[in-house]
Amino acid sequence: MSGVVPTAPEQPTDEVENQVKSPDPRPDAPPDYNSHLVLGPPGPAIPPSAGHAGSLPMGLYSPPQPHNFPLYQPAGGTHPIQYQPGKYPMPNQPVPVTWMPTPAHMPNCPPGLEYLTQLDIIHVLQHFEPLEMMTSFETNNRYDIKNNLDQMVYVVTEDTDDYTRNAYRTLRPFILRVTDYMGREIMTMQRPFRCSCCCFCCPSTRQELEVQCPPGVTIGFVAEHWNLCRAVYSIQNAKKENVMRVRGPCSTYGCGSDSVFEVKSLDGTTDTGSIIRKWNGLLSAMSDADHFEIQFPLDLDVKMKAMIFGACFLIDFMYFERSPTRRSSR
């Protein structure tokens, strides 16, 4: 035998191509349903069965039509979904804030206090801080100052470090910065630290607030007076001369009623205004998010209006700023 290995007989090229192109008896891969598959020529329309509007014979699928679904809206349509203001707030959408129109500059009026010349009632709204209630961590206070038309007048922000706030709580020294709609600081209120002890008649324990407008220029002080049963303050000018007196109720922790602090002349015969801590129900009882209403005559000197405005914050910190309950460590 020879060493030649027999090979398969050569086939013509046409036969090889026919074998490659011959259909595979196995089922094909699933068809691509992205393309429209036409199943032959259209036949006669088949009426839907009774009680099933738009139904088709078994095995056929009809895509949902927009008119069959009232809530359907095509993507990228010409009529976007619109929500009524205040009913369906969009996520991460800032709430519009309406500011009081800027008054014209007035002579002999510190810059930024022109708003107070047009007001006889202002509302001090403290921000609610749920973090304080949940973690007992004291945060900087924030207040919105509005008029009777619910227009924003000022924003008041506390500027105190974390250690001072949480170490001294309601007795902490603080700086309150009053800004306008442009974020400019137009007024600064400072409270120094005063030690609290059993000897309340000692002058070194009496609380005091300094009001500066513009920042760095002192226009007056709010000084506490010792009294056995009620809160009493003196409103002073830049020379620490008494100008007016603030007289509070016997019980400032009234439950279910407003707490009224009367602003009177030095002789106590003329009512100059009032600082009213409004009762907000359960919110007032469980948190320190207070609402104050300040009233004064429209023609009162604008600096004295600013001093009554400053007295409101000293009253808030002394009587209505509640310290969260500390959790005892085991």
Side-chain angles (χ1 to χ4, degrees), residues 78-293:
T78 57
H79 301 286
I81 300 177
Q82 297 181 356
Y83 296 96
Q84 298 180 4
K87 191 173 183 180
Y88 304 101
M90 298 293 291
N92 302 326
Q93 182 178 6
V95 179
V97 178
T98 303
W99 286 83
M100 180 179 174
T102 306
H105 178 71
M106 301 180 61
N108 301 324
C109 178
L113 294 188
E114 295 88 355
Y115 296 94
L116 298 182
T117 61
Q118 302 181 1
L119 300 174
D120 57 355
I121 297 178
I122 56 178
H123 298 269
V124 179
L125 306 172
Q126 184 177 0
H127 288 206
F128 174 67
E129 298 292 346
L131 181 64
E132 294 184 1
M133 299 184 61
M134 294 185 295
T135 65
S136 74
F137 182 83
E138 188 76 23
T139 59
N140 278 322
N141 288 354
R142 285 179 55 87
Y143 305 83
D144 291 341
I145 314 303
K146 297 185 177 182
N147 58 14
N148 264 347
L149 300 178
D150 201 35
Q151 295 175 335
M152 192 81 75
V153 182
Y154 300 122
V155 173
V156 181
T157 307
E158 180 185 358
D159 186 5
T160 310
D161 61 90
D162 294 340
Y163 174 79
T164 301
R165 287 196 313 273
N166 291 274
Y168 298 99
R169 298 290 176 167
T170 58
L171 293 176
R172 64 185 182 265
F174 61 76
I175 298 178
L176 297 179
R177 305 188 185 278
V178 184
T179 56
D180 60 3
Y181 74 101
M182 295 186 63
R184 297 175 299 186
E185 184 176 351
I186 56 101
M187 185 189 305
T188 302
M189 293 175 280
Q190 298 182 3
R191 174 197 185 185
F193 175 73
R194 296 294 175 88
C195 178
S196 177
C197 64
C198 59
C199 185
F200 297 102
C201 59
C202 180
S204 62
T205 64
R206 300 176 188 173
Q207 300 298 318
E208 184 181 79
L209 180 75
E210 179 183 357
V211 180
Q212 300 176 359
C213 186
V217 180
T218 302
I219 63 174
F221 298 85
V222 181
E224 179 192 16
H225 286 265
W226 181 82
N227 191 282
L228 186 60
C229 64
R230 67 176 70 241
V232 179
Y233 301 90
S234 287
I235 293 180
Q236 305 171 342
N237 57 20
K239 299 179 181 180
K240 288 198 171 184
E241 299 172 345
N242 294 338
V243 179
M244 293 180 293
R245 189 176 295 270
V246 180
R247 185 172 180 267
C250 291
S251 176
T252 57
Y253 298 96
C255 181
S257 61
D258 298 343
S259 300
V260 181
F261 294 78
E262 301 175 344
V263 182
K264 295 179 174 290
S265 58
L266 290 179
D267 55 8
T269 58
T270 306
D271 293 334
T272 309
S274 62
I275 302 173
I276 306 173
R277 190 254 189 173
K278 309 293 290 185
W279 175 256
N280 289 332
L282 191 61
L283 187 63
S284 297
M286 298 184 60
S287 69
D288 56 2
D290 297 311
H291 174 198
F292 289 89
E293 181 181 291

